[in-house]
Amino acid sequence: MSKPANTREATIRRSLLGQMRGLGSARSGTGHWWMQRLTSIALVPLAIWFVIGAIAHAGAGRAEIVHWISGPVTATLMLALIACMFEHMQLGLQVVIEDYVHGEACRVATLLVMKAGAALLAILAAISVLKMAIAG
Amino acid sequence: MADVREALMSGRNSDGARVNRPLSPHLQVYRLPMTPILSILHRVAGVGLAAGTLLFVWWLAAAADSDGAFALAAGVMNSPIGWLLIAGWTLALWYHFCNGIRHLWWDAGRGFELREAHASGMLAIGAAAVLTALTLIAGVVAR
């Protein structure tokens, strides 16, 4: 007696792992969503702090800016702002790219360029703050 | 009611006002309600702020680098175009900030009723406008 032709056994010739791949993670699937919220909550006080600081130093010369940023508290908050801001930014831009850039190759390439750019900008910003904080 | 089909067209706006809606996709007369307009503006503001990080990093790196580099960055930021960009980014920041808090409120499982969503949207727009005006005025006064 032969198997009916329309059962799963008869039509699917991929391993269970193969069938599951690409459907999303079972453990860390909420990671993106959660990091987006976490960084947004951290950015609430950090953004207020930065805007107030920027207003207080509007039109200031380089010496004054360096003096402000090189303070230990300012440098710490600046680094926290940079970390949260760029993480939040790259998570957000990722969703925008995934929504609007079609075609697998083009989408992956755009994502990689964006993520690399975000990482380089974050490193440049952090190095700048550290240089001011340490070298004065 | 002259035609019973009109009953099918009756609906409500996000602010609760009665409107007659077309029966099927009618793109020539379709007007996006306020809530999805705010949603797309949140994304537009976010992308704008991402572009703004270029100026932020340039300003930081220039301050760390040299007097000449800082003078160049400060010169661009103090030009009319620089002022326009900073004003735009201030508005984008406060809108994304206020509407982001609205999103966090939804994430907590609150404010999903149409009237609440409409009211919180109006609140976000109002708060963003006030914060932007205050920031720009304070920035000009502080200079």
Side-chain angles (χ1 to χ4, degrees):
Chain A
M1 195 175 113
S2 66
K3 270 186 184 174
N6 60 350
T7 59
R8 284 178 69 84
E9 295 78 37
T11 52
I12 295 177
R13 290 196 174 80
R14 299 170 68 195
S15 69
L16 281 172
L17 182 63
Q19 290 175 45
M20 294 309 292
R21 271 196 179 137
L23 294 180
S25 165
R27 287 214 183 94
S28 56
T30 55
H32 183 286
W33 185 90
W34 179 241
M35 276 312 283
Q36 187 100 65
R37 312 298 132 162
L38 214 58
T39 50
S40 72
I41 293 167
L43 281 167
V44 169
L46 287 170
I48 294 172
W49 167 79
F50 178 74
V51 169
I52 291 172
I55 290 169
H57 295 85
R62 184 181 170 228
E64 219 179 313
I65 295 288
V66 171
H67 181 256
W68 173 49
I69 292 173
S70 63
V73 174
T74 312
T76 303
L77 292 177
M78 266 299 200
L79 290 177
L81 172 69
I82 289 163
C84 293
M85 185 171 78
F86 282 102
E87 177 69 3
H88 190 81
M89 181 190 92
Q90 65 96 7
L91 290 169
L93 288 180
Q94 180 189 337
V95 178
V96 174
I97 290 169
E98 284 168 351
D99 279 357
Y100 301 132
V101 180
H102 304 298
E104 189 81 16
C106 195
R107 182 168 63 238
V108 171
T110 312
L111 279 172
L112 289 178
V113 169
M114 181 277 290
K115 298 232 170 191
L120 286 174
L121 279 177
I123 294 169
L124 176 56
I127 292 287
S128 301
V129 170
L130 287 174
K131 185 187 175 237
M132 285 186 268
I134 292 163
Chain B
M1 200 179 291
D3 190 330
V4 286
R5 283 173 299 183
E6 282 178 25
L8 296 169
M9 296 171 71
S10 149
R12 282 185 191 279
N13 262 338
S14 62
D15 59 0
R18 278 195 175 280
V19 282
N20 279 338
R21 297 199 185 285
L23 291 178
S24 45
H26 211 303
L27 297 178
Q28 293 96 327
V29 295
Y30 184 69
R31 193 168 62 86
L32 220 51
M34 188 200 74
T35 37
I37 289 175
L38 294 195
S39 172
I40 193 66
L41 277 179
H42 190 73
R43 181 167 275 202
V44 169
V47 173
L49 288 167
T53 61
L54 290 172
L55 185 83
F56 171 76
V57 174
W58 183 32
W59 171 77
L60 264 182
D65 185 59
S66 63
D67 286 337
F70 187 79
L72 185 64
V76 170
M77 285 165 81
N78 278 319
S79 69
I81 291 174
W83 273 84
L84 205 65
L85 286 174
I86 290 171
W89 279 321
T90 306
L91 179 62
L93 173 69
W94 285 129
Y95 175 67
H96 199 80
F97 181 99
C98 294
N99 201 51
I101 290 174
R102 185 164 167 249
H103 270 279
L104 289 174
W105 188 245
W106 284 330
D107 291 336
R110 292 158 200 274
F112 284 121
E113 291 300 323
L114 202 50
R115 277 177 179 284
E116 293 171 319
H118 187 88
S120 63
M122 296 303 276
L123 186 65
I125 293 175
V130 169
L131 285 168
T132 303
L134 283 177
T135 305
L136 293 178
I137 290 167
V140 171
V141 170
R143 281 188 89 244

